[in-house]
Amino acid sequence: MKHSAGDLPKGTDFVLLPLAPARDLPAGAMPLAGGPLAFAHLRAIAISEGRPVASREMPSSEIASWLAALPPPARARAERRLDALQAPRPPVPLAGGKRTLGFARPLVMGILNVTPDSFSDGGRFVDPARALAQAQAMIAAGADIIDVGGESTRPGARPVWEEEERERILPVIEALADAAVPVSVDTRHARVMEAALDAGAAMVNDVSALTHDPDSLAVVAARDCPVVLMHARGEPQRMQDNPAYEDVLTEVFAYLDARIRACEAAGIARERLIVDPGIGFGKTLRHNLTLLNGLAALHALGAPLLVGVSRKRFIGALAREEVPARRLAGSLAAALAAVDKGVQILRVHDVAETVQALAVHQGLIDGLLMDRAAVAAATRPC
Ligand code: 7PM
């Protein structure tokens, strides 16, 4: 603690980290992103020039007096962050104007890689019929969104020529245009976004948060579609070389906050923005763990959160499993941990297994609420 509340530097902002968000907290706990999770304790970290300069942990009952003691400009920022942290996330209107994404329960986004290296033949060609069958299987298994990508953005990947990316994904998106669930297009290229939206895609997923292609902000603004803004450090080819942060949670928070403002300035409605810390994109194991443990702080950005942990390398590192396809159990453990931080959308390879894990997780929550109601109904206060 280098500063007391009264002498915080000018321009101080705050990262507000709810400690131990839970579902069975007593009245007086504060809702996280509209609930059903809530938190009874908060760590407030004062940020100046991108660095943490002061911190304080407090029970929710002390938050009002903490705010009151802050100098007025800092207080206004802290209040705005605290409001965003607690506010419900309204449904996101999809492109096409007919459907929305609602967040009453965690949604499952199924990954459909239409890239040659993702299929077992390892060849150069992509079979649209095969990709389509995989999409139908994910829908039958309970996917809420299908994320179609034609450019591998894996660490170390080479960029794909745009024309080839478009040719890979368009037949698949066209065939899914009338599917029961919306399609998102995973691309960094404005022309690919346009073509995919024309072909029936309902939203954009951009691992560069609309920074890679200078036209992409304008395309998303013109099409009025939702967009996932993901944090990444560096280009895919070199991003795992030596990722370094002074404070990864603060820096990811500040980056996503800046991208939200850039999108708003470009005319993209705030209600269409979804944010993602980009697990594995220019991050060490330690960075990934800090981000997953600190995920709840990102709700103060005021947007629904999407997280992709499925089969990622940090799971291999923790569980000592080299083969991505054998990382299902670890992926489910990480996915449920993210749900316990209030994440609204999970991006996964294994839809059926994730849906089953979520059903058991939700069943336990429902049971808890019924037990509480039963006790309240059967007893009198004492
Ligand atoms: C190899 C390694 C292949 C990693 C593919 C990947 C995300 C994403 C990806 C994510 C959002 C994967 C990644 N990851 N988009 N695209 N969030 N929004 O595991 O975490 O699919 S590519």
Side-chain angles (χ1 to χ4, degrees):
M1 185 87 178
K2 295 186 194 130
H3 299 264
S4 65
D7 73 342
L8 289 168
K10 251 179 74 184
T12 296
D13 197 356
F14 296 89
V15 170
L16 303 178
L17 178 62
L19 302 174
R23 301 182 135 95
D24 50 357
L25 292 178
M30 306 176 93
L32 188 58
L37 284 160
F39 57 98
H41 293 263
L42 183 71
R43 179 183 302 145
I45 305 156
I47 308 296
S48 177
E49 289 164 9
R51 288 190 194 87
V53 292
S55 71
R56 167 174 167 160
E57 288 181 10
M58 64 199 109
S60 49
S61 57
E62 280 176 21
I63 291 176
S65 58
W66 169 67
L67 287 170
L70 292 173
R75 188 193 312 154
R77 273 195 205 85
E79 281 170 345
R80 198 167 60 78
R81 296 295 190 199
L82 191 64
D83 287 346
L85 186 62
Q86 295 177 264
R89 300 296 170 247
V92 172
L94 292 161
K98 288 200 285 282
R99 292 191 282 204
T100 62
L101 285 181
F103 304 109
R105 56 177 178 83
L107 302 181
V108 175
M109 170 186 269
I111 301 169
L112 190 66
N113 280 321
V114 194
T115 50
D117 54 351
S118 68
F119 289 94
S120 53
D121 60 20
R124 260 187 49 74
F125 299 101
V126 176
D127 180 358
R130 206 161 147 180
L132 202 61
Q134 202 192 326
Q136 298 295 2
M138 289 196 287
I139 295 168
D144 299 292
I145 305 164
I146 302 295
D147 189 39
V148 180
E151 182 197 38
S152 180
T153 47
R154 69 171 63 196
R158 300 278 309 278
V160 174
W161 181 238
E162 260 184 60
E163 184 61 32
E164 192 176 328
E165 184 187 354
R166 211 165 21 177
E167 281 172 17
R168 286 173 180 176
I169 63 171
L170 284 189
V172 179
I173 293 175
E174 277 163 12
L176 288 172
D178 297 318
V181 306
V183 166
S184 80
V185 58
D186 181 352
T187 185
R188 303 180 296 162
H189 301 120
R191 299 286 87 79
V192 179
M193 292 172 193
E194 276 185 324
L197 293 163
D198 285 340
M203 61 185 282
V204 167
N205 172 26
D206 184 351
V207 299
S208 83
L210 305 182
T211 62
H212 180 77
D213 186 327
D215 294 335
S216 57
L217 280 166
V219 166
V220 171
R223 300 307 190 95
D224 253 359
C225 69
V227 57
V228 179
L229 304 171
M230 196 196 81
H231 175 274
R233 171 67 60 87
E235 287 285 302
Q237 281 197 61
R238 303 207 47 208
M239 67 187 176
Q240 288 304 111
D241 285 2
N242 186 22
Y245 301 83
E246 266 193 56
D247 186 277
V248 68
L249 184 60
T250 298
E251 287 169 51
V252 168
F253 185 93
Y255 175 85
L256 293 172
D257 196 45
R259 293 314 298 157
I260 288 171
R261 278 182 275 122
C263 287
E264 285 187 295
I268 305 172
R270 206 193 163 87
E271 66 191 25
R272 287 189 166 79
L273 303 177
I274 296 167
V275 295
D276 180 342
I279 297 302
F281 283 79
K283 282 123 188 158
T284 63
L285 171 61
R286 196 68 192 76
H287 296 142
N288 290 320
L289 296 176
T290 298
L291 287 171
L292 286 171
N293 281 318
L295 219 43
L298 302 184
H299 290 298
L301 292 164
L305 281 183
L306 183 149
V307 175
V309 291
S310 185
R311 302 185 184 179
K312 282 191 174 166
R313 203 162 61 183
F314 83 96
I315 291 170
L318 293 172
R320 300 175 191 276
E321 178 51 73
E322 284 290 333
V323 184
R326 288 192 207 145
R327 295 175 186 160
L328 171 61
S331 299
L332 295 176
L336 292 187
V339 169
D340 283 336
K341 307 290 187 197
V343 72
Q344 283 87 0
I345 309 175
L346 294 169
R347 183 179 178 276
V348 309
H349 297 87
D350 304 287
V351 171
E353 292 83 354
T354 304
V355 167
Q356 186 178 86
L358 286 172
V360 172
H361 188 268
Q362 186 62 47
L364 283 161
I365 295 161
D366 293 345
L368 180 78
L369 298 178
M370 287 187 282
D371 289 345
R372 278 183 110 178
V375 169
T379 61
R380 59 178 173 77
C382 60

